[in-house]
């Protein structure tokens, strides 16, 4: 089985479409690690496309904020403005869909979670080597796929020791090693590469690769500006930060 694992779409329909096009023919199924909404201009269309195309979806902090399950004062001013704007543009069906997403799911030999598998509703970021190493006891599967930081990377732990590789492109799954893989962000990359990121997990080839896809950043930016969302949210897309 070949899974496309996508995360942090953030209402960026151009990026989502480009990733689904890239995944078409490469992956047999698509799963989503949350933050479908927030920041971008097309929350409803992104929810509908994810609901239609994804076999499994877990919720992120932006879903919880828009569904009223997380206080907005948790967010910085840009995220808060976007969450309020998003809330007003969704109907009851969209909000109901967001509100019932589980925070953790298992898929074959992998755990799917938006933030840290340790206390997923605390929304902790896995950034440093130590952050990732500390999360291994919190899941039972061989692999754990995460998003949230918008920066691709992998943490590995085995009898040989442990390692952290930020910005990883491809890993071959070794039977004696466990992995946490951050798949990066579809709609708002923050690793100075503005291209959309997603991960292809091939269970038979025992390989995970993070792919990058160019998309129409100009169109996504223009929609954010036209919507009256904070201009910073448009400009950061071009810089991948
Ligand atoms: Zn996010």
């Amino acid at each position: 089985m070949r899974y496309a694992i996508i995360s942090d779409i953030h209402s960026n329909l151009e990026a989502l479409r480009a990733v689904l096009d890239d995944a078409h023919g490469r992956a047999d199924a698509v799963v989503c690690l949350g933050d479908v909404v927030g920041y971008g201009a097309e929350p409803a269309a992104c929810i509908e496309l994810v609901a239609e195309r994804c076999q499994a979806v877990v919720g992120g902090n932006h879903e919880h904020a828009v569904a009223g399950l997380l206080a907005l004062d948790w967010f910085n001013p840009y995220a808060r403005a976007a969450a309020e704007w998003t809330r007003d543009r969704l109907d009851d069906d969209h909000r109901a869909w967001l509100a019932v997403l589980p925070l953790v799911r298992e898929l074959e030999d992998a755990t799917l979670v938006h933030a840290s598998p340790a206390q997923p509703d605390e929304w902790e970021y896995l950034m440093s080597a130590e952050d990732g190493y500390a999360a291994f006891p919190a899941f039972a599967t061989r692999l754990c796929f995460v998003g949230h930081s918008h920066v691709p990377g992998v943490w590995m732990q085995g009898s040989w020791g442990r390692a952290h590789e930020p910005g990883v492109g491809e890993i071959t799954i070794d039977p004696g090693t466990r992995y946490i893989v951050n798949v990066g962000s579809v709609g708002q990359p923050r690793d100075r590469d503005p291209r959309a990121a997603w991960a292809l997990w091939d269970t038979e080839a025992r390989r995970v690769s993070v792919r990058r896809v160019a998309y129409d950043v100009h169109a996504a930016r223009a929609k954010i500006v036209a919507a009256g969302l904070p201009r910073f949210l448009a400009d950061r897309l071009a810089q991948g930060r």
Side-chain angles (χ1 to χ4, degrees), residues 138-160:
F139 63 97
T141 51
R142 173 178 305 283
L143 288 146
C144 178
F145 290 103
V146 303
H148 197 39
S149 71
H150 301 200
V151 177
V154 62
W155 292 261
M156 294 161 261
Q157 188 173 67
S159 52
W160 50 269

Side-chain angles (χ1 to χ4, degrees), residues 7-10 33-39 60-63 75 114 125 147-150 184-185 188 190:
S7 190
D8 297 276
I9 296 147
H10 287 296
L33 305 180
D35 277 9
V36 178
V37 298
Y39 299 134
N61 48 310
H62 283 258
E63 273 79 52
F75 277 129
H114 181 68
Y125 290 90
H148 197 39
S149 71
H150 301 200
S185 170
Q188 195 196 78
R190 294 181 191 158

Side-chain angles (χ1 to χ4, degrees), residues 69-109:
L69 300 169
L70 177 66
L72 290 184
D73 51 18
W74 191 90
F75 277 129
N76 69 49
Y78 301 111
R80 191 181 318 163
E84 285 167 348
W85 182 93
T86 300
R87 214 179 251 179
D88 292 342
R89 268 141 195 97
L90 298 180
D91 64 24
D92 288 345
D93 287 347
H94 296 130
R95 277 191 293 268
W97 184 85
L98 297 177
V100 298
L101 294 174
L103 295 188
V104 183
R105 285 193 63 161
E106 287 188 6
L107 176 73
E108 300 207 23
D109 204 10

